[in-house]
């Protein structure tokens, strides 16, 4: 792309750059980029060539307001904003968070945390989630959202695990892809964030993630690649951290070579707030600096060009990349308001019911039933119910840029009461152990809502619940044998009381519809079908074994990714360590039987694909959804160790009692490849592949073999 652009326009733009467009009214006919019959590329070419140096520099940065600003003249609220250029009829560029719902300072649908979306293992749910946020954003005059976020959960303590899609590149990439399709389908640009290897919040702006070439490409860049191929996202947000010593927003190796050339990204790159470190980040692949114009100020850009560190051609290329997306998403194709000097935006109130329906569905589908000895579902004949925990009155949500303002919300307690109008439903805080001890013995069931807070900026200090939460569960369980725990958590947790309670339903941070979803699941109106998108380690298990891996070498400034590709379940499998809860696991109120594993062919070439299928039958008495998972064990060679199992496909199907469906997935080079450090490319290894059909990574239901010749 770079070469093509240079060959086409370099000569002309050197001259055009000197022309200053005066700030006077110009007829639309003199602005050919306003012609919507031309392609986005053509229009961007025309416009970039008409821009003077000041206008070009203007497009290299935005203004940011972390808690939400408002565009002049009653314009939209925003988190990031590039003001319009009225003399060229370039509209303002309005951007907001985020991955958990529109966050621009106004109320909007508070979706369940993105990890709930991942736990659905359902690309339709992820599509609808992206679409619902996109629709809210559209109604509030936005152009671009900073989401989805899907850095991999390398570190179980990661503070932002709740904002992401778990530990597997394929699951994360496929769900992100569906989310982007949903959001961009309603005309809002999506942002894949944070590129790349932004796997922790400890020293997040200073630490370098030291990763070998293979692991970087095969694990940490892979989800981005999948989403780029699957959904053509408009935007990528480069991250705070360094990658092998280079700042992520100033690394031509990850931003140009990998992102654009290897993975085929064609959109614009903007900084996380504020992850630029030099004006030459523009040369190295960055398009827009946020939240201010520090490194891309006119003085710094001009001096970098004067010093020969970069050229105006590069600036034009970067501005053009931005403009192509603005044209692609129709930003120029609106009436112009000459009084405000900006386009007209059709802003409406968000209709609350629209997003709430999606928030509810995802919260229901993403909740994971971790344990059930038969206590759930609850009957509606209960006479005395004790609900414990502040989060039963007000749902827990994660902190930081994903923290949205709900339009409306029903608490878990109220949703339970609604289902038991004639019963006594009492509540006590977890901070009142005496109250729990007094009330628990009299209840038919005790429901404890146990929480663990996570937030951007801070990794968690441990996987433990705090003492108050653990005590509340212990006191409830020792005073009532019929104790059920609902967990509202942002990542893996330890449950030392697991054997003492009858059931655990993990609803993560369930969003504004979380109370209703929780009650519906507890009472069996909805059958749980969520699956873990990451491993829950048992007490004392440490997938990151050395302090160099985390909290890092050199006083915490170099994270050594020495585990290589053996991250998450890949590590647990390789080391033969059985965690508390495995990747892909989750229970249902019904039972399923797998049979007839079949593979379309025994062998193929490196570029071939094959199909694997399995029949799944609902053998219980309730309708329910199940997610068959397909893993492969790639061939090993002395120089290249491969994990025992890697996810290559999944599908979620709903089955009525007694019903059987055949689930088939296609597995091809993109699922099978590894990164080859000799050729610096993705290759498919020749040799024997084990194919596993599974209900979770450690629960194998059938196998097949496949040979790449
Ligand atoms: C976060 C981003 C977010 C941005 C704007 C940053 O601190 O890392 O995820 O989009 O703030 O709120």
């Amino acid at each position: 792309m770079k070469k093509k652009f240079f060959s086409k326009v370099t000569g002309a733009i050197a001259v055009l750059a000197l022309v200053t467009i005066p700030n006077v009214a110009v007829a639309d006919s003199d602005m050919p980029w306003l012609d919507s019959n031309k392609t986005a590329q053509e229009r961007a070419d025309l416009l970039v060539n008409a821009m003077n140096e000041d206008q070009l520099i203007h497009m290299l940065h935005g203004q940011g307001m972390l808690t939400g600003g408002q565009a002049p003249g009653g314009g939209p609220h925003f988190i990031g904003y590039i003001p319009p250029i009225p003399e060229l009829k370039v509209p303002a560029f309005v951007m907001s968070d985020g991955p958990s719902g529109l966050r621009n300072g106004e109320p909007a649908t508070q979706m369940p945390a993105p990890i709930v979306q991942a736990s659905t293992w359902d690309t339709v749910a992820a599509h609808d989630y992206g679409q619902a946020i996109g629709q809210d954003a559209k109604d509030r005059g936005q152009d671009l959202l900073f989401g989805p976020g899907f850095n991999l959960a390398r570190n179980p303590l990661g503070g932002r695990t709740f904002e992401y899609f778990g530990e597997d590149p394929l699951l994360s990439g496929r769900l992100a892809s569906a989310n982007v399709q949903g959001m961009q389908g309603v005309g809002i640009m999506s942002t894949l964030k944070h590129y790349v290897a932004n796997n922790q919040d400890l020293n997040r702006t200073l630490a370098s993630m030291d990763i070998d070439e293979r692991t970087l490409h095969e694990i940490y860049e892979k989800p981005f690649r999948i989403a780029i191929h699957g959904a053509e996202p408009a935007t990528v947000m480069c991250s705070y951290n360094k990658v092998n010593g280079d700042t992520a927003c100033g690394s031509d190796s990850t931003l140009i070579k990998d992102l654009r050339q290897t993975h085929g990204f064609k959109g614009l790159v903007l900084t996380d707030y504020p992850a630029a470190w030099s004006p030459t980040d523009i040369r190295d692949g960055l398009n827009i600096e946020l939240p201010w114009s520090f490194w891309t100020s006119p003085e710094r850009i001009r001096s970098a060009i004067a010093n020969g560190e970069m050229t105006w051609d590069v600036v034009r290329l970067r501005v053009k990349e931005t403009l192509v997306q603005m044209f692609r998403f129709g930003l120029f194709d609106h009436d112009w308001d000459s009084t405000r000097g900006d386009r007209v935006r059709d802003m409406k109130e968000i209709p609350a019911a629209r997003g709430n329906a999606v928030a509810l569905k995802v919260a229901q589908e993403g909740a994971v039933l971790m344990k059930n000895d038969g206590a759930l579902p609850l009957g509606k004949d209960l006479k005395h119910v004790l609900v414990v925990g502040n989060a039963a009155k007000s749902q827990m949500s994660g902190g930081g840029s994903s923290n949205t303002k709900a339009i409306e919300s029903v608490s878990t307690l109220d949703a339970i009461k609604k289902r038991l109008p004639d019963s006594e439903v009492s509540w006590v805080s977890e901070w009142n152990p005496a109250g729990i001890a007094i009330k628990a013995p009299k209840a038919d069931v005790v429901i404890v809502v146990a929480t663990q807070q996570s937030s951007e900026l801070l990794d968690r200090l441990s996987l433990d619940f705090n003492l108050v939460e653990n005590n509340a569960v212990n006191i409830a369980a020792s005073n009532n044998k019929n104790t059920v725990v609902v967990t509202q958590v942002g990542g893996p947790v330890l449950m030392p009381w697991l054997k003492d309670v009858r059931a655990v339903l993990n609803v993560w941070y369930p969003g504004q519809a979380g109370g209703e979803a929780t009650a519906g699941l507890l009472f069996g109106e909805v059958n749980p079908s969520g699956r873990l998108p990451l491993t829950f380690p048992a007490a004392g298990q440490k997938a990151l074994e050395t302090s160099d891996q985390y909290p890092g070498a050199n006083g915490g400034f170099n994270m050594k990714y020495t585990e290589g590709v053996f991250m998450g379940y890949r590590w647990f499998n390789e080391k033969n360590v059985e965690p508390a809860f495995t990747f892909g696991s989750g229970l249902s109120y019904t039972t399923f039987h797998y049979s007839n594993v079949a593979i379309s062919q025994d062998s193929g070439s490196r570029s071939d694909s094959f199909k694997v299928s399995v029949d799944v039958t609902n053998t219980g008495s309730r309708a329910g959804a199940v997610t068959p998972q397909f893993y492969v064990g790639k061939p090993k060679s002395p120089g290249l160790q491969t994990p025992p199992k890697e996810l290559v496909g999944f599908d979620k199907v709903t089955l009525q009692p007694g019903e059987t469906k055949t689930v088939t997935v296609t597995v091809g080079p993109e699922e099978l490849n590894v990164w080859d450090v000799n050729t610096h490319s993705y290759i498919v290894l020749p040799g024997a592949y084990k194919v596993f059909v599974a209900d979770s990574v450690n629960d194998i239901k059938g196998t097949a073999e496949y040979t790449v010749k």
Side-chain angles (χ1 to χ4, degrees):
M1 182 169 181
K2 193 175 176 182
K3 262 199 177 138
K4 207 170 146 203
F5 175 67
F6 281 145
S7 61
K8 221 168 131 191
V9 295
T10 311
I13 47 190
V15 180
L16 281 164
L18 304 172
V19 180
T20 305
I21 306 289
N23 189 1
V24 291
V26 179
D28 281 9
S29 53
D30 292 332
M31 298 194 226
W33 53 89
L34 298 180
D35 175 2
S36 60
N37 293 316
K38 293 187 163 52
T39 65
Q41 289 283 339
E42 287 166 347
R43 297 172 79 181
D45 265 334
L46 287 162
L47 177 53
V48 83
N49 289 339
M51 283 179 158
N52 64 29
E53 291 177 359
D54 290 339
Q55 290 160 342
L56 288 168
I57 293 174
H58 175 98
M59 295 306 295
L60 296 180
H61 44 247
Q63 306 167 358
M65 298 286 284
L66 274 177
T67 50
Q70 187 172 14
H77 289 250
F78 65 82
I79 298 290
Y81 179 71
I82 302 185
I85 308 179
E87 57 271 32
L88 299 178
K89 288 203 174 170
V90 176
F93 198 0
V94 178
M95 318 171 193
S96 286
D97 276 309
S100 309
L102 168 66
R103 190 187 75 93
N104 65 348
E106 302 180 295
T109 311
Q110 185 190 56
M111 300 297 283
I115 196 158
V116 185
Q117 183 183 181
S119 299
T120 67
W121 286 61
D122 182 358
T123 51
V124 177
H127 171 278
D128 294 352
Y129 186 110
Q131 178 174 282
I133 299 176
Q135 284 167 325
D136 282 8
K138 190 107 202 147
D139 286 349
R140 302 310 301 146
Q142 309 294 308
D143 301 318
L144 178 152
L145 286 183
F146 302 143
F150 57 136
N151 294 107
L152 296 179
R154 169 187 186 240
N155 182 351
L157 297 172
R160 302 186 77 175
T161 301
F162 73 95
E163 290 190 66
Y164 303 147
F165 293 165
E167 69 191 19
D168 182 75
L170 181 108
L171 179 67
S172 297
R174 294 244 175 118
L175 293 172
S177 184
N179 178 298
V180 171
Q181 285 169 9
M183 195 184 292
Q184 295 199 160
V186 295
I188 295 291
M189 298 185 195
S190 292
T191 306
L192 306 184
K193 71 184 193 184
H194 309 84
Y195 187 80
V196 60
N198 189 197
N199 308 116
Q200 64 182 58
D201 265 40
L202 180 71
N203 289 341
R204 70 173 183 170
T205 56
L206 298 170
S208 173
M209 306 299 129
D210 294 345
I211 312 177
D212 67 88
E213 184 186 327
R214 175 183 170 207
T215 304
L216 180 63
H217 290 83
E218 215 172 298
I219 302 289
Y220 297 100
E221 289 187 4
K222 199 67 188 283
F224 290 87
R225 176 181 177 85
I226 295 171
I228 289 164
H229 291 183
E232 280 190 66
T235 313
V236 160
M237 181 184 272
C238 52
S239 52
Y240 285 126
N241 53 288
K242 295 181 183 147
V243 183
N244 294 323
D246 253 2
T247 58
C249 293
S251 158
D252 59 344
S253 147
T254 56
L255 289 183
I256 297 182
K257 243 169 99 236
D258 290 354
L259 185 66
R260 292 194 186 273
Q261 293 165 0
T262 306
H263 307 312
F265 177 65
K266 296 202 170 53
L268 66 104
V269 176
L270 45 78
T271 55
D272 200 347
Y273 281 45
W277 285 95
S278 161
T280 57
D281 288 358
I282 296 295
R283 177 196 66 203
D284 295 335
L286 178 68
N287 300 85
I288 297 173
E289 179 188 16
L290 288 166
W292 47 56
S293 54
F294 186 79
W295 291 107
T296 54
S297 65
E299 305 70 45
R300 286 196 169 84
I301 292 292
R302 285 177 194 283
S303 107
I305 291 174
N307 296 339
E309 291 172 312
M310 65 183 185
T311 63
W312 283 110
D313 285 351
V314 163
V315 171
R316 274 183 209 94
L317 173 62
R318 295 289 169 253
V319 172
K320 185 188 161 187
E321 285 161 348
T322 300
L323 293 175
V324 167
Q325 297 307 316
M326 293 176 72
F327 283 113
R328 176 182 166 209
F329 281 82
L331 269 55
F332 288 75
D333 304 329
H334 297 269
D335 290 340
W336 190 261
D337 175 349
S338 335
T339 321
R340 287 178 50 246
D342 194 2
R343 63 172 256 207
V344 171
R345 277 171 208 266
D346 178 24
M347 294 205 278
K348 312 183 187 71
E349 285 301 302
I350 294 171
R354 179 188 64 202
N356 198 61
V358 182
L360 175 63
K361 175 112 195 339
V362 174
Q364 290 168 335
E365 251 205 79
V368 185
L369 183 61
M370 317 276 287
K371 170 177 179 175
N372 186 19
D373 72 356
L376 296 182
L378 300 174
K380 293 214 172 136
D381 52 351
L382 298 164
K383 289 283 163 274
H384 303 279
V385 174
L386 174 63
V387 180
V388 177
N390 292 349
K393 286 192 164 176
S394 166
Q395 264 95 255
M396 179 67 107
S397 57
S401 55
S402 270
N403 196 334
T404 51
K405 279 189 195 161
I407 296 185
E408 58 183 33
S409 184
V410 175
S411 72
T412 305
L413 182 62
D414 286 343
I416 291 173
K417 282 184 175 164
K418 191 173 92 186
R419 283 162 174 84
L420 298 171
D422 302 322
S423 313
E424 186 198 309
V425 179
S426 52
W427 173 86
V428 60
S429 165
E430 67 268 50
W431 293 86
N432 180 359
I436 304 171
I438 292 165
K439 291 188 171 176
K442 299 178 202 133
D444 302 327
V445 62
V446 182
I447 301 167
V448 186
V449 182
T451 60
Q452 200 199 42
Q453 177 71 62
S454 355
S455 177
E456 181 179 340
L457 282 172
L458 294 170
D459 287 341
R460 292 182 296 160
L461 295 176
S462 101
L463 297 180
D464 289 303
F465 281 98
N466 69 36
L467 279 179
V468 175
E469 305 292 321
N470 275 338
N471 274 343
V473 179
N474 287 332
I475 294 168
S478 57
N479 284 285
N480 191 314
K481 293 290 155 242
N482 204 20
T483 293
V484 167
V485 179
V486 173
T487 51
Q488 291 189 8
V489 297
V493 278
L494 298 175
M495 303 179 193
W497 31 254
L498 188 66
K499 59 178 186 338
D500 304 321
V501 301
R502 296 199 59 198
V504 178
L505 178 70
N506 177 25
V507 298
W508 307 104
Y509 299 147
Q512 68 175 45
E516 191 56 35
T518 303
L521 289 155
L522 290 174
F523 285 93
E525 295 154 20
V526 180
N527 193 346
S529 64
R531 299 298 182 107
L532 290 180
L534 40 67
T535 309
F536 274 41
Q541 290 175 350
K542 258 187 118 192
L544 301 180
E545 294 165 284
T546 71
S547 62
D548 282 1
Q549 288 170 290
Y550 185 85
N554 297 330
F557 292 105
N558 288 82
M559 304 300 141
K560 300 291 182 190
Y561 282 47
T562 46
E563 72 282 3
V565 298
F566 296 95
M567 190 269 277
Y569 68 83
R570 289 163 166 81
W571 181 88
F572 280 86
N573 275 193
E574 175 71 11
K575 301 279 174 181
N576 249 319
V577 175
E578 187 65 33
F581 297 97
T582 54
F583 175 81
S585 64
L587 304 171
S588 167
Y589 296 150
T590 187
T591 48
F592 299 99
H593 179 70
Y594 290 77
S595 59
N596 300 331
V597 172
I599 188 160
S600 59
Q601 63 213 68
D602 296 335
S603 62
S605 74
R606 290 175 181 219
S607 56
D608 278 344
S609 297
F610 62 91
K611 288 185 193 311
V612 210
S613 63
V614 66
D615 291 346
V616 206
T617 306
N618 181 344
T619 47
S621 54
R622 281 170 184 266
V626 62
T627 306
Q629 299 154 38
F630 300 81
Y631 296 84
V632 297
K634 296 170 187 166
K636 289 188 197 302
S637 63
L640 195 129
Q641 292 302 300
T642 51
K645 295 180 207 117
E646 299 187 73
L647 187 72
V648 292
F650 61 92
D651 197 9
K652 185 167 190 170
V653 287
T654 300
L655 297 170
Q656 297 305 314
E659 190 184 10
T660 300
K661 277 186 185 159
T662 304
V663 173
T664 306
V665 299
T666 302
V667 182
E670 279 297 323
E671 289 76 36
L672 295 178
N673 61 26
V674 294
W675 181 261
D676 177 35
V677 293
N678 300 312
T679 57
H680 309 293
S681 63
Y682 291 96
I683 61 159
V684 174
L685 296 168
Y689 288 70
K690 286 191 203 115
V691 181
F692 304 92
V693 180
D695 193 65
S696 77
V697 70
N698 286 358
D699 187 2
I700 305 304
K701 301 295 185 186
T703 57
E705 288 199 356
Y706 182 76
T707 303
V708 173
K709 290 184 284 203

